[in-house]
Amino acid sequence: MDVEIVGRLLSTLPADDDHPYRTGPWKPQTTEWRADDLDVVEGAVPADLDGVYLRNTENPVHPAVRNYHPFDGDAMVHVVGFRDGKAFYRNRFVRTDGLLTEIEARSAQWAGISERPEWAPRYDGWGARGRMKDASSTDVTVHRGMALTSFYQCGDLYRVDPFSAETRGKETWGGAFPVEWGVSAHPKVDDATGELLFFNYSKQAPYMHYGVVDAANELVHYVDVPLPGPRLPHDMAFTENYAVLGDFPLFWQADALAQGVHLPRFHRDLPSRFAVVPRRGGTDRIRWFEAESTYVLHFTNAYEDGDEIVLDGFFQGAPEPADNGTGDKWERAFRFLALDRMQTRLHRWRLDLVTGQVREEQLSESITEFGMINPRHGGRPYRYAWAATGKPSWFLFDGLVRHDLRTGAEERLSFGEGVYGSEAAMAPRTGSTGEDDGYLITLTTDMNADASYCLVLDAARVADGPVCKLRLPERIASGTHSTWADGAELRRWHTADTAAHAVGL
């Protein structure tokens, strides 16, 4: 492995830190690496794997004002690239406005999700889009050859070079970016059209917008999606002709919010609602569908089936887990992050466009979340989803499940005791013909070996274990959302010389 340290940030976190989401598997990094020709620990890099895997990470540089929540951490993007049987690695902090301000101040300047906004030196109202720190640490996607990082409470989209992981400023869409509202995490890119679909939300009426950026990177559609009040949506879905947005009964308590306190509560007496809007349709064409009360953090996919929209995602049986008195103070405080406590299971909703009715069914008994699909099937009929399993009581991924949605069959891989993975992206094999003809890629944090690895798995045979295992320069912090970008598509937007230099090939 050809390794070079290209940067290091000065952390002010305490040496005796005992917070479980800043220590152990979540211990943040300060070093930025450039590593080419990664060491192969097991197997061989597939010659027909061409592209980059990107993962975003909450990676705090400074202590919280008082109470740290893992969603508050600063963004760090990890890149593992593959071409011609070789692999490289890069990681960089995303140079957000918030991070740069706090580096200069050498301390936290904004309140986090578990803090009162007035506790912080900078107070701008807090939350969706009332200006808590825009860490841009939630999601990452790729549009027109550029990676875009985003924040769950709505913020700017930061442009990140998908080869070098270096920040290239903010996305502006030619000056049309909705700065006051920002963009939520989980904008969706339709591989078939080149469009980017997004939503945002706020504490101000109409409380939600939906927009479309076309293949030329122009904001061509932006409409109100009126809601009954402030909500906390997190994800969206799309089909060939429609966008699907959610209004779930987990949202800030109205009386507390009026006092400036952001206290989320689950209102079980209210239904879940789905807004279906034609992809270029106006507010007057939104149709609402009511379903069983729950909260959905992530959808896997949606598609049209005759007069119905089939929508798949993870139904939470307990969106507000009760404190049953078990576990230590940390397990109890962060029970809202544990998949087993929230009881997340793959679920299907069928929205009938003729009758307005909704039919629901549970697709699996297994507790899984953070599902990924073959990106070529986004918005189209599909069969397979690859999802994470969670360590009981903790926000850590301890394995993977391949869901066959046609037969109900499941195939599992456990990472092993003390080993935790990332959201696994599906990378179609060069020249692939089948939906599961490709590879599953994830990064692991191995506490036993004090090391991190990139695992490459056969997407059709997950239980067989890795076909390739690559060592990274250091043990990385645990993390969540990821994406895959096809190499040939990236090279359309980057010159051959730039791309070759970036990957060390």
Side-chain angles (χ1 to χ4, degrees):
M1 186 185 335
D2 179 15
V3 180
E4 175 188 2
I5 294 176
V6 297
R8 182 177 283 126
L9 294 192
L10 178 64
S11 172
T12 60
L13 293 172
D16 60 349
D17 199 349
D18 67 347
H19 196 295
Y21 290 101
R22 288 192 311 229
T23 57
W26 282 92
K27 182 179 179 180
Q29 298 160 261
T30 59
T31 303
E32 298 172 315
W33 297 90
R34 181 184 190 275
D36 294 321
D37 202 10
L38 295 181
D39 292 340
V40 178
V41 177
E42 183 180 329
V45 178
D48 54 0
L49 181 59
D50 179 12
V52 297
Y53 170 89
L54 301 104
R55 193 202 77 178
N56 204 348
T57 306
E58 295 87 1
N59 196 93
V61 176
H62 302 291
V65 175
R66 296 189 191 179
N67 305 320
Y68 178 70
H69 188 286
F71 293 172
D72 300 335
D74 299 293
M76 175 181 280
V77 171
H78 300 265
V79 175
V80 181
F82 304 88
R83 192 180 184 189
D84 297 333
K86 295 183 180 181
F88 72 91
Y89 170 77
R90 308 283 187 270
N91 69 305
R92 300 288 187 276
F93 282 97
V94 180
R95 266 58 179 186
T96 64
D97 292 347
L99 175 61
L100 295 177
T101 297
E102 291 186 337
I103 288 174
E104 184 176 358
R106 297 193 62 183
S107 65
Q109 296 294 294
W110 287 269
I113 189 174
S114 299
E115 299 175 314
R116 292 287 299 266
E118 62 269 23
W119 293 348
R122 295 173 183 265
Y123 173 47
D124 301 303
W126 199 90
R129 175 72 165 151
R131 294 292 178 167
M132 62 194 298
K133 184 175 72 172
D134 176 2
S136 203
S137 56
T138 308
D139 193 23
V140 59
T141 191
V142 174
H143 186 228
R144 289 170 47 89
M146 186 62 65
L148 303 172
T149 60
S150 52
F151 188 52
Y152 74 105
Q153 284 278 340
C154 297
D156 295 312
L157 293 179
Y158 282 87
R159 294 164 53 86
V160 174
D161 186 294
F163 293 113
S164 68
E166 294 175 354
T167 307
R168 303 298 190 196
K170 300 177 185 179
E171 182 56 76
T172 66
W173 297 330
F177 186 88
V179 176
E180 290 304 313
W181 281 64
V183 169
S184 175
H186 302 303
K188 303 296 183 183
V189 175
D190 185 345
D191 282 4
T193 66
E195 292 176 324
L196 181 144
L197 315 178
F198 72 92
F199 70 98
N200 55 29
Y201 61 101
S202 164
K203 290 175 285 189
Q204 307 300 319
Y207 306 112
M208 183 188 281
H209 293 108
Y210 156 71
V212 181
V213 177
D214 68 11
N217 211 39
E218 295 183 2
L219 180 61
V220 294
H221 191 63
Y222 188 65
V223 297
D224 296 351
V225 182
L227 298 176
R231 296 294 188 262
L232 294 169
H234 187 73
D235 199 3
M236 66 173 292
F238 69 93
T239 71
E240 290 187 66
N241 296 294
Y242 298 96
V244 183
L245 304 160
D247 171 17
F248 298 105
L250 176 67
F251 50 84
W252 290 312
Q253 194 83 347
D255 55 351
L257 190 60
Q259 303 300 316
V261 177
H262 298 75
L263 183 66
R265 284 290 179 262
F266 180 57
H267 305 264
R268 190 172 290 280
D269 57 323
L270 297 177
S272 299
R273 301 199 309 153
F274 298 105
V276 174
V277 56
R279 282 173 53 158
R280 300 289 180 96
T283 302
D284 60 336
R285 298 191 63 190
I286 297 172
R287 294 188 60 187
W288 287 98
F289 295 79
E290 293 191 356
E292 185 178 345
S293 183
T294 188
Y295 185 78
V296 178
L297 194 63
H298 300 115
F299 297 105
T300 52
N301 198 20
Y303 61 91
E304 296 161 36
D305 181 17
D307 292 328
E308 292 183 324
I309 290 177
V310 178
L311 175 65
D312 294 346
F314 295 93
F315 183 103
Q316 294 185 4
E320 191 175 28
D323 182 357
N324 58 16
T326 62
D328 63 22
K329 68 173 184 177
W330 297 114
E331 291 177 81
R332 295 168 67 182
F334 291 102
R335 64 189 183 274
F336 302 93
L337 300 178
L339 304 187
D340 63 315
R341 297 299 301 273
M342 294 185 292
Q343 291 290 295
T344 55
R345 291 182 173 89
L346 198 55
H347 197 82
R348 174 165 289 173
W349 297 264
R350 285 185 170 270
L351 315 180
D352 193 313
L353 298 174
V354 174
T355 67
Q357 299 300 303
V358 177
R359 292 186 292 131
E360 304 184 46
E361 62 176 314
Q362 183 176 295
L363 297 179
S364 173
E365 289 288 342
S366 298
I367 302 293
T368 60
E369 237 284 9
F370 291 81
M372 300 289 272
I373 66 169
N374 183 323
R376 297 173 183 173
H377 287 256
R380 278 77 182 166
Y382 76 120
R383 178 174 177 176
Y384 302 106
W386 294 266
T389 58
K391 179 180 179 179
S393 297
W394 293 100
F395 186 34
L396 290 165
F397 301 155
D398 61 3
L400 295 168
V401 173
R402 175 183 182 264
H403 293 280
D404 185 332
L405 303 181
R406 183 177 301 168
T407 67
E410 296 177 355
E411 189 174 330
R412 293 174 172 270
L413 174 70
S414 171
F415 295 134
E417 187 68 28
V419 182
Y420 307 105
S422 311
E423 186 176 63
M426 195 281 179
R429 190 192 314 268
T430 300
S432 65
T433 56
E435 183 182 341
D436 62 349
D437 184 15
Y439 301 98
L440 208 61
I441 302 170
T442 189
L443 303 183
T444 61
T445 299
D446 188 333
M447 299 303 296
N448 308 303
D450 190 28
S452 278
Y453 304 93
C454 175
L455 304 187
V456 180
L457 305 144
D458 185 332
R461 303 175 63 87
V462 171
D464 289 355
V467 298
C468 179
K469 184 176 181 179
L470 301 159
R471 183 184 294 273
L472 303 185
E474 71 170 327
R475 175 162 63 84
I476 68 173
S478 184
T480 51
H481 287 302
S482 70
T483 193
W484 171 259
D486 176 77
E489 178 65 17
L490 286 179
R491 291 189 290 275
R492 286 182 55 212
W493 301 100
H494 297 261
T495 68
D497 288 344
T498 300
H501 174 73
V503 303
L505 299 178

